[in-house]
Amino acid sequence: MSVGLLLVAWELYANHSGIKPTVLPAPSRVFEQAILNREALVDNAIPTIRATLLGFACSLSAAFALSILVDFFRPLRRALFPVFIVSQTLPLVAIAPLVVLWFGFGLAPKIMLVALVTFFPMLVALVQGYEATEVEIGQMLRTMGAGRWRVFVLARLPSALPYFFAGLRISITYAVVGAIFAEYAGAAKGLGIYMLNAKNNFRPDLVLAAVAVSAGLTLGLFGLTVLLQRIAMPWERAGREPPGTGPRE
Amino acid sequence: MNRLELRHVRKAFGGLDVLADISLNVGAGEFVSILGPSGAGKSTLFQILTGAEHGHGEMLFDGAPLDDHGRHFAFMPQRDALMPWRRIIDNTTLGLEVQGVRRKAARARVAPLFAEFGLAGFERHFPAQLSGGMRQRAALLRTVVQERDMLLLDEPFGALDALTRAALQRWLEQMWRHHRWTALLITHDVREALYLSDRIYVLSARPARIVREISVPLPRPRDPTAAASSRASALEAEILDILLNPQPSKGHDHD
């Protein structure tokens, strides 16, 4: 709704203020150009999607493995977290060109950058999620004779699921931005390099068309995480329904 | 015959005496309560029994020193501790699963008990879909199917509203008469202790010691109206007096 209003205002301003379309194209023009250039856009979106998903898969596996280690060996947490926090303060503008310089124009630097921006949020989400396990559940499991690993699998891991999905929703948006940034710093193909080329050719309409594609991509991935959460956590929705009308107390 | 026997059990946390001197016994098929003020260290005693904490003193089970803690006790914590992500049937089989029973076999063992526990038809529900009282019954079911020698119940009805609590106390007394579990209940509710127990140990404030052992000679089934009988109210008054007016000679002003 608010997006629609904004688009209408933008359209009116671009058409009636006399501003040149090479400075601010109207949304209708962006849309028109996006259709005209759809093949190029799709062609460039594919490497971006690939980098996003591969990078995210890497950071997710690493964050998961490390979160388990950290959960079992507390001192590791204090030793490692400062390093990760610093890794989050590195400005992408500075890091992206360097990573491209070191690892070339291929897929590797993109995966690394996506992993860099998504790894820490996922790790923190998981570690916090384990900590959120109800104390009584842990105690009870131990009286049942469960060892540390059983307690982890039966209680700590499922307890972390809501945190995991919260982290996933945030990280997936970072991931797309990270991939585009990496491409911007140097790539043969991809939305990032497409935007850069369009800008250099004085085609803001094509820049905006690429932005729209990346926004759609992010929204799509976000929607996917919401869907995944629904499938993975059926009890969450069940809990929101009115309690079963059952035997009296 | 005594199943559990504690002799002069003590526990301190960093110089702070929590349990000063606890000696008690629980016979086979007996329902015993430990009644004491909040913060007296009642839960600490259970932690020692289940092996989560280490205490000093002698602890015997069936006459042998208590070593492998988990083997004897099935523990029911204060809050129901049901796992929100497991369906009720899978929550109740948890203890069996940890013991290594196959999921299918565990379910087969638990399923026939659902009706008796007032949970029939709710096997596939998630805990969030159940009322507080039903959740507590599911938690008790999870506890008893472990078929351990003895139940440890840590204020199982503490978090419930008064009406639900009263209903569950009646229900538990009924269940106990059928099953004759050996049970040790922690509570700070005098009426609950009187209604359910064969014997009551009254605990002092911290550092906790047993100040009185009271047998409850009220006939079973414990008719709820009998709780209002003169005998029950005399006992209630006696216990309240012990709890509210601690003997100054024995008083240890550590609070």
Side-chain angles (χ1 to χ4, degrees):
Chain A
M1 181 65 192
S2 51
V3 177
L5 270 176
L6 197 70
L7 284 177
V8 169
W10 175 3
E11 180 79 35
L12 289 174
Y13 180 79
N15 287 337
H16 298 286
S17 68
I19 197 164
K20 278 191 280 185
T22 48
V23 177
L24 182 71
S28 57
R29 183 181 162 82
V30 172
F31 183 72
E32 194 184 311
Q33 288 302 312
I35 299 292
L36 275 176
N37 293 280
R38 61 181 180 278
E39 261 172 52
L41 280 170
V42 168
D43 201 34
N44 282 287
I46 287 167
T48 306
I49 295 172
R50 192 184 297 142
T52 303
L53 293 182
L54 282 175
F56 201 57
C58 284
S59 89
L60 212 56
S61 333
F64 185 55
L66 205 71
S67 70
I68 297 174
L69 270 176
V70 165
D71 197 56
F72 276 78
F73 309 103
R74 291 299 150 86
L76 260 185
R77 186 171 178 171
R78 235 180 306 158
L80 289 178
F81 268 44
V83 180
F84 298 138
I85 291 169
V86 168
S87 83
Q88 290 306 292
T89 64
L90 300 174
L92 264 189
V93 211
I95 282 295
L98 284 178
V99 174
V100 171
L101 183 70
W102 296 331
F103 297 97
F105 281 9
L107 196 56
K110 279 106 198 159
I111 291 176
M112 288 179 68
L113 277 170
V114 170
L116 182 75
V117 294
T118 57
F119 171 74
F120 189 65
M122 285 318 299
L123 181 68
V124 170
L126 284 168
V127 170
Q128 262 192 344
Y130 302 148
E131 291 296 316
T133 309
E134 222 183 296
V135 180
E136 270 106 341
I137 291 184
Q139 264 177 13
M140 179 194 65
L141 277 170
R142 277 187 292 277
T143 66
M144 288 171 170
R148 259 190 108 177
W149 180 249
R150 283 310 280 288
V151 173
F152 181 80
V153 172
L154 286 172
R156 296 181 78 80
L157 201 57
S159 293
L161 272 177
Y163 291 78
F164 169 78
F165 279 109
L168 199 64
R169 281 198 297 273
I170 296 169
S171 300
I172 203 82
T173 59
Y174 290 175
V176 178
V177 175
I180 287 176
F181 229 111
E183 289 164 355
Y184 205 84
K189 250 187 201 173
L191 285 178
I193 198 74
Y194 185 83
M195 286 175 195
L196 185 67
N197 289 336
K199 188 206 76 172
N200 289 342
N201 294 327
F202 303 102
R203 292 295 303 273
D205 48 349
L206 288 183
V207 176
L208 288 170
V211 167
V213 171
S214 85
L217 190 62
T218 307
L219 282 175
L221 289 171
F222 190 89
L224 206 62
T225 64
V226 173
L227 191 72
L228 262 177
Q229 181 167 15
R230 281 202 185 168
I231 295 167
M233 302 176 59
W235 61 91
E236 228 194 15
R237 279 158 63 78
R240 267 186 248 119
E241 286 155 17
T245 46
R248 68 286 159 269
E249 290 308 332
Chain B
M1 191 198 120
N2 278 344
R3 295 223 81 174
L4 179 69
E5 191 171 354
L6 304 183
R7 291 183 197 149
H8 309 296
V9 170
R10 286 168 290 121
K11 175 72 187 172
F13 284 107
L16 178 73
D17 285 337
V18 178
L19 303 178
D21 182 5
I22 306 290
S23 297
L24 56 81
N25 57 71
V26 182
E30 197 181 20
F31 197 115
V32 175
S33 290
I34 297 177
L35 183 67
S38 300
K42 301 188 295 284
S43 296
T44 306
L45 186 63
F46 273 12
Q47 283 175 344
I48 292 171
L49 285 176
T50 55
E53 292 286 348
H54 196 77
H56 298 282
E58 213 178 340
M59 302 192 283
L60 302 173
F61 202 93
D62 289 341
L66 191 64
D67 40 16
D68 188 1
H69 298 275
R71 207 182 49 199
H72 300 296
F73 305 114
F75 172 64
M76 179 169 173
Q78 268 175 32
R79 282 188 284 166
D80 53 52
L82 294 174
M83 294 177 167
W85 54 88
R86 283 185 164 230
R87 296 176 190 279
I88 293 300
I89 182 124
D90 297 324
N91 262 295
T92 55
T93 58
L94 189 65
L96 297 174
E97 267 180 62
V98 171
Q99 283 174 30
V101 179
R102 289 284 175 88
R103 177 171 283 211
K104 212 176 156 190
R107 282 185 174 186
R109 254 164 84 177
V110 173
L113 295 166
F114 266 72
E116 196 184 353
F117 279 72
L119 294 166
F122 288 88
E123 291 86 345
R124 306 283 301 156
H125 282 60
F126 286 110
Q129 295 169 294
L130 266 60
S131 67
M134 293 177 79
R135 292 176 62 123
Q136 219 58 32
R137 289 200 298 258
L140 186 71
L141 177 53
R142 177 191 60 201
T143 312
V144 301
V145 293
Q146 295 173 46
E147 293 185 346
R148 297 287 167 87
D149 300 324
M150 186 169 166
L151 304 182
L152 299 180
L153 312 173
D154 186 357
E155 290 187 36
F157 309 136
L160 299 172
D161 64 275
L163 212 57
T164 310
R165 190 187 316 152
L168 277 181
Q169 285 164 358
R170 286 189 197 188
W171 173 78
L172 181 60
E173 202 266 337
Q174 225 175 52
M175 292 291 282
W176 182 84
R177 268 187 282 121
H178 291 147
H179 294 274
R180 295 282 161 170
W181 299 303
T182 305
L184 186 58
L185 168 82
I186 283 179
T187 182
H188 55 239
D189 181 337
V190 179
R191 286 196 179 164
E192 179 170 291
L194 279 172
Y195 190 73
L196 293 169
S197 322
D198 298 314
R199 274 186 306 126
I200 301 172
Y201 288 99
V202 182
L203 233 59
S204 70
R206 212 175 54 214
R209 58 184 72 239
I210 305 275
V211 289
R212 194 77 63 89
E213 182 190 339
I214 294 169
S215 3
V216 185
L218 304 174
R220 292 187 189 263
R222 298 262 161 95
D223 183 354
T225 53
S229 78
S230 57
R231 257 164 114 191
S233 40
L235 279 171
E236 189 181 335
E238 185 189 341
I239 295 172
L240 275 174
D241 186 53
I242 299 167
L243 285 170
L244 298 176
N245 306 307
Q247 244 82 74
S249 57
K250 282 185 186 174
H252 288 253
D253 246 356
H254 281 278
D255 261 356

